[in-house]
Structure formats: C-alpha cells, structure tokens
C-alpha cells in the first residue's frame, strides 16, 4: 500500500528557489513513484511589509516590498512532514516563510 502523502506549498524569492528545493528534497520531499525531485513552480509577484520587531532578509521595516517569487508545490510522505517543514524553515531566506501543508486523502 502506498503511504499517505501531503502536499507542501511554499513561496520563495525566485533566486532562492533552487536552494530551498534542494533542502526539502534532501529531507524527503518530491518523490512521485519512481521519480525524484518533482515540483511544480509558477512565478508571480510577492508583497509584504515588515512590521516593528521584524528582521527582514529582504526589504526595510515599515516599507512595502514587492518582488518576483515562485509558488512551489511538492509532495511528501505524511510521516516526514515535520522533517520537511524544518528543512524548509532552515533553508528559506525569509525570517517567516509563507507555506501551508495540504493533507491528501489516504490511498485506497
């Protein structure tokens, strides 16, 4: 039986995406059957305003920042969720990376 999968969706500055992907792949994400390093990416525009107390890697506290970002989706075994999310947080350049994990239906 195939183990249950989750989908990790995260947003990354375009120039950092390959490094973040390498980290989540090394942690066990991105395998689909006999394929590895599988991901779906689309480029868009991210925006944020760092608030008081923030230590932004990009941008200035109080100023609105806009930059090209990728929305990235990768699958991962549900049992590896904590490990993959920890790898994402460690490799991502943002102080607070935006991401979500979608729990898929269990395989029949």
């Amino acid at each position: 039986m195939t183990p249950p999968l989750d989908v990790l969706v995260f947003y990354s500055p375009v120039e950092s995406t390959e490094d973040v992907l390498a980290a989540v792949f090394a942690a066990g994400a991105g395998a689909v059957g006999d394929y590895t390093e599988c991901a779906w990416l689309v480029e868009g525009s991210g925006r944020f305003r760092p608030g008081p107390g923030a230590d932004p890697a990009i941008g200035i506290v109080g100023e609105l920042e806009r930059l090209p970002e990728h929305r990235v989706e990768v699958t991962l075994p549900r049992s590896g969720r904590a490990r993959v999310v920890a790898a994402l947080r460690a490799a991502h350049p943002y102080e607070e990376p935006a991401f979500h994990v979608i729990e898929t239906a269990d395989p029949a």
Side-chain angles (χ1 to χ4, degrees):
M1 177 191 264
T2 304
L5 296 175
D6 289 340
V7 177
L8 170 66
V9 179
F10 66 90
Y11 306 88
S12 172
V14 169
E15 67 273 3
S16 301
T17 300
E18 289 302 321
D19 291 337
V20 179
L21 277 171
V24 298
F25 291 155
V32 179
D34 293 332
Y35 296 82
T36 61
E37 298 183 34
C38 301
W40 184 81
L41 293 81
V42 66
E43 190 170 330
S45 179
R47 61 174 273 162
F48 54 89
R49 184 184 309 270
D55 184 20
I58 297 171
I60 298 169
V61 171
E63 293 186 15
L64 184 62
E65 181 70 35
R66 291 182 176 90
L67 69 153
E69 290 184 328
H70 281 132
R71 175 187 164 113
V72 181
E73 298 186 21
V74 296
T75 59
L76 61 135
R78 186 163 303 145
S79 62
R81 184 188 295 176
R83 181 178 62 253
V84 170
V85 168
L88 167 70
R89 289 183 183 276
H92 202 286
Y94 290 170
E95 180 179 24
E96 295 289 340
F99 70 92
H100 54 278
V101 177
I102 302 165
E103 191 170 287
T104 64
D106 289 336

